[in-house]
């Protein structure tokens, strides 16, 4: 299983993101006006999702619809990470829970 987040405002206007097998887990709105970069909106929509699909196909589908400006991204992790944690594999230094923007699994489109 693959789980992840998408910032709704990351989608390019006029695009549709409809990959097969993607399931919605939660949608939330967050006021980031105090820390948003210039050109980014002050409110962000976080879309939490899960999928049993192939990582490569999903990454390509996200890359096809992400806005190229302002460093938008989508974040996802595959089941292998959960397994690694369950058997005691140490976390990489850049991976800290709650700091999703710094994960190496980040697909950055810029």
């Amino acid at each position: 299983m693959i789980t992840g987040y998408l910032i709704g405002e990351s989608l390019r206007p006029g695009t549709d993101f409809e990959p097969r097998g993607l399931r919605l887990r939660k949608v939330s709105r967050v006021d980031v006006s105090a820390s948003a970069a210039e050109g980014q909106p002050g409110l962000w929509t976080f879309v939490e999702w899960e999928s049993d699909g192939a990582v490569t196909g999903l990454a390509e589908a996200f890359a096809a619809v992400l806005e190229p400006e302002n460093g938008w991204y989508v974040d996802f992790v595959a089941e292998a990470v959960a397994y690694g944690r369950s058997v005691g594999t140490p976390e990489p230094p850049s991976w800290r829970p709650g700091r999703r923007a710094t994960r190496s699994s980040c697909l950055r489109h810029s």
Side-chain angles (χ1 to χ4, degrees):
M1 177 177 310
I2 307 164
T3 61
Y5 290 86
L6 166 72
I7 298 174
E9 291 73 17
S10 296
L11 298 177
R12 279 193 332 270
T15 60
D16 293 319
F17 183 68
E18 302 176 284
R20 295 182 67 124
L22 195 76
R23 294 177 298 279
L24 182 65
R25 294 174 67 178
K26 181 171 86 172
V27 176
S28 56
R29 296 275 288 164
V30 178
D31 182 347
V32 296
S33 57
S35 61
E38 185 176 332
Q40 291 181 334
L43 291 173
W44 288 5
T45 307
F46 287 89
V47 181
E48 183 179 350
W49 53 268
E50 65 184 18
S51 175
D52 294 321
V55 172
T56 303
L58 196 53
E60 290 170 352
F62 277 119
V65 297
L66 289 177
E67 176 65 52
E69 302 297 322
N70 297 318
W72 292 112
Y73 73 94
V74 63
D75 172 51
F76 56 91
V77 285
E79 204 171 77
V81 172
Y83 173 77
R85 285 180 175 161
S86 74
V87 297
T89 303
E91 301 279 343
S94 65
W95 186 325
R96 297 286 182 255
R99 294 185 59 207
R100 295 190 179 279
T102 62
R103 283 189 183 175
S104 60
S105 64
C106 210
L107 172 65
R108 191 171 180 90
H109 186 78
S110 52

